């Protein structure tokens, strides 16, 4: 299957709103449309916070277009593009994208991995994202940037972009997102980037809810076991798509580095259940089974608690996703701590 290049090339096409939305949602859409025309990302963020940490819902026209798999960029898709591409804009080159696909003439090991991982992501997206499009975007990205960027979680990211924009737009936005917003997470080998992010989350929890952090520590809970899919998929895996999109709105608008705070807040949100369990195995099992059921509530907790984060911890949270030296320093400090604990216990 080949991409619809004529439709995809028209990347400025948008879908018309409908008067069927409630008045407050129409007003909210008008606010966001005005911000996009300026463009003013700070105004979009203010509107998001003023409307209880939500972007306006899709119109019926947008939902209908998506069900029919017609190319078009929803209001949310335009917001996502504006935020992710705010500082780094390259020319969207359809011929370059098609050229990358033409290079992929043989079935490689990477293609086999991509094929299987896209199938696994279908649990979240059902039939709402075209699997062929997901595979093409991932194959083109891997050919352009190299296999070092690929992980089993990447089909979830690509699927979210494809849900809101055309195939070639999704490739373009996804490429910029990976290279400029979350590079450390996927470029540091053997999940070390994820481990560094989780160490930041643990440090935040230690400050925001020391009793809960101590409970996890005293029971020997390994954060990487339950936190790996939370961080690498940004809570997409195993959760309802509508809730995931609300959470991604927050990440897109304020920064994906806030994943560390969201992990800490997710634990705080479920602290009552966690505190009642006293074995590592049972705590980890409970956390793996716990789903994202109210993204808006989680975001509002994060917005409230972010004001309480000390400057040094806040700086680490902001930089761990994009600065390799920050991640390396965090990992070295944790290794040093573990060595000291080993010496003290021997």
């Amino acid at each position: 299957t080949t991409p619809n290049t004529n439709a995809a090339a028209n990347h400025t096409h948008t879908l018309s709103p409908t008067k069927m939305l409630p008045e407050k949602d129409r007003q909210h859409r008008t606010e966001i449309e005005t911000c996009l025309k300026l463009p003013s990302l700070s105004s979009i963020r203010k509107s998001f916070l003023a409307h209880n940490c939500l972007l306006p819902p899709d119109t019926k026209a947008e939902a209908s277009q998506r069900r029919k798999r017609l190319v078009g960029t929803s209001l949310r898709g335009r917001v996502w593009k504006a935020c992710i591409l705010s500082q780094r804009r390259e020319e969207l080159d359809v011929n370059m994208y098609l050229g990358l696909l033409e290079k992929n003439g043989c079935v490689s090991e990477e293609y086999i991995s991509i094929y299987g991982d896209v199938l696994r992501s279908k649990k979240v997206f059902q039939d709402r994202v075209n699997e062929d499009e997901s595979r093409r975007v991932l194959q083109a990205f891997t050919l352009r940037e190299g296999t070092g960027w690929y992980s089993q979680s990447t089909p979830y990211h690509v699927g979210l972009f494809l849900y809101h924009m055309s195939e070639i737009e999704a490739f373009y936005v996804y490429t910029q997102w990976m290279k400029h917003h979350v590079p450390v997470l996927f470029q540091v080998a053997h999940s070390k980037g994820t481990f560094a992010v989780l160490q930041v989350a643990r440090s935040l929890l230690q400050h925001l809810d020391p009793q809960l952090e101590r409970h996890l520590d005293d029971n020997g809970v390994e954060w990487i076991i339950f936190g790996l899919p939370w961080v690498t998929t940004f809570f997409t895996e195993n959760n309802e798509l509508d809730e995931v999109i609300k959470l991604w709105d927050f990440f897109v608008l304020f920064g994906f580095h806030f994943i560390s705070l969201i992990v800490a807040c997710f634990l705080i949100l479920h602290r009552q259940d966690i505190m009642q369990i006293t074995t590592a195995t049972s705590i980890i099992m409970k956390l793996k089974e716990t789903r994202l059921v109210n993204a808006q509530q989680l975001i509002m907790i994060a917005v409230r608690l972010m004001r309480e984060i000390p400057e040094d911890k806040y700086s680490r949270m902001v930089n761990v996703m994009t600065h390799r030296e920050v991640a390396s320093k965090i990992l070295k400090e944790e290794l040093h701590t573990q060595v000291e604990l080993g010496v003290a216990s021997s």
Side-chain angles (χ1 to χ4, degrees):
T1 308
T2 57
N4 181 347
T5 55
N6 290 332
N10 184 20
H11 60 281
T12 59
H13 173 67
T14 57
L15 303 169
S16 300
T18 174
K19 294 184 179 180
M20 298 300 289
L21 286 175
E23 176 64 23
K24 65 179 182 65
D25 290 333
R26 292 206 305 274
Q27 291 177 354
H28 193 186
R29 287 183 69 90
T30 301
E31 284 180 24
I32 301 297
E33 291 277 7
T34 302
C35 295
L36 285 171
K37 288 175 183 176
L38 293 176
S40 174
L41 300 186
S42 62
S43 297
I44 297 176
R45 295 185 185 108
K46 289 177 183 177
S47 178
F48 176 83
L49 295 173
H51 289 83
N52 298 316
C53 299
L54 291 172
L55 285 181
D58 289 344
T59 64
K60 288 189 176 181
E62 289 170 336
S64 175
Q65 292 276 40
R66 187 177 292 120
R67 283 195 300 271
K68 296 173 184 177
R69 292 182 176 173
L70 298 176
V71 174
T73 301
S74 64
L75 178 63
R76 175 175 275 104
R78 290 162 57 205
V79 169
W80 284 24
K81 284 196 302 178
C83 292
I84 291 173
L85 306 179
S86 60
Q87 302 299 324
R88 302 167 181 88
R89 292 187 178 273
E90 299 174 6
E91 192 67 27
L92 194 154
D93 190 341
V94 175
N95 291 327
M96 179 273 294
Y97 180 70
L98 295 177
L100 288 170
L101 296 181
E102 288 173 1
K103 290 180 182 179
N104 197 40
C106 60
V107 179
S108 62
E109 184 178 341
E110 289 76 22
Y111 178 85
I112 294 171
S113 296
I114 289 170
Y115 188 90
D117 294 338
V118 168
L119 279 179
R120 277 189 286 275
S121 70
K122 189 175 180 179
K123 183 178 179 181
V124 172
F125 298 109
Q126 303 297 329
D127 293 322
R128 291 176 284 190
V129 170
N130 187 295
E131 293 175 32
D132 289 333
E133 291 181 356
S134 291
R135 294 188 184 104
R136 286 196 296 265
V137 169
L138 287 166
Q139 288 160 30
F141 178 80
T142 302
L143 283 165
R144 186 185 185 193
E145 305 297 337
T147 57
W149 292 86
Y150 185 79
S151 78
Q152 289 184 337
S153 62
T154 47
Y156 293 101
H157 315 143
V158 169
L160 281 163
F161 291 125
L162 283 170
Y163 189 67
H164 297 296
M165 57 193 76
S166 72
E167 177 180 343
I168 294 176
E169 283 179 305
F171 168 77
Y172 175 57
V173 175
Y174 171 70
T175 299
Q176 301 305 308
W177 176 73
M178 284 287 276
K179 291 173 65 177
H180 301 296
H181 292 261
V182 295
V184 171
L185 195 59
F186 299 102
Q187 276 285 281
V188 177
H190 306 301
S191 301
K192 290 183 179 179
T194 304
F195 189 82
V197 171
L198 286 171
Q199 283 301 111
V200 173
R202 184 175 181 174
S203 174
L204 293 176
L205 184 64
Q206 195 173 39
H207 176 78
L208 297 170
D209 193 334
Q211 184 184 19
L212 177 57
E213 192 278 333
R214 190 162 53 249
H215 178 73
L216 294 173
D217 187 52
D218 289 346
N219 285 283
V221 175
E222 296 285 344
W223 283 57
I224 197 71
I225 299 176
F226 68 82
L228 180 67
W230 293 0
V231 172
T232 57
T233 71
F234 292 89
F235 280 88
T236 303
E237 186 177 21
N238 296 325
N239 289 308
E240 290 296 323
L241 184 57
D242 289 345
E243 295 301 318
V244 169
I245 289 170
K246 292 174 186 175
L247 184 57
W248 271 61
D249 287 340
F250 172 70
F251 288 139
V252 167
L253 285 168
F254 292 92
F256 284 83
H257 54 265
F258 277 113
I259 183 63
S260 298
L261 179 59
I262 288 294
V263 167
C265 291
F266 191 75
L267 293 169
I268 292 170
L269 187 60
H270 298 282
R271 79 181 312 277
Q272 185 174 351
D273 291 335
I274 297 169
M275 293 296 290
Q276 292 176 354
I277 307 172
T278 56
T279 67
T281 303
S282 298
I283 291 173
I284 290 170
M285 187 178 299
K286 176 65 178 178
L287 292 174
K288 284 186 171 183
E289 292 172 350
T290 303
R291 299 291 176 257
L292 177 65
V293 295
N294 192 334
Q296 183 184 16
Q297 180 188 20
L298 179 60
I299 295 165
M300 293 179 79
I301 292 172
V303 169
R304 175 172 56 84
L305 292 181
M306 70 171 64
R307 301 182 181 93
E308 301 179 19
I309 302 173
E311 185 177 345
D312 59 332
K313 294 182 186 294
Y314 195 93
S315 177
R316 282 197 164 194
M317 176 183 68
V318 169
N319 292 307
V320 69
M321 301 279 274
T322 53
H323 292 71
R324 188 185 292 261
E325 65 275 14
V326 174
S328 298
K329 185 177 181 181
I330 291 169
L331 294 173
K332 287 178 182 177
E333 289 175 356
E334 175 60 17
L335 178 61
H336 182 71
T337 301
Q338 294 301 320
V339 169
E340 286 187 334
L341 289 173
V343 171
S345 62
S346 61

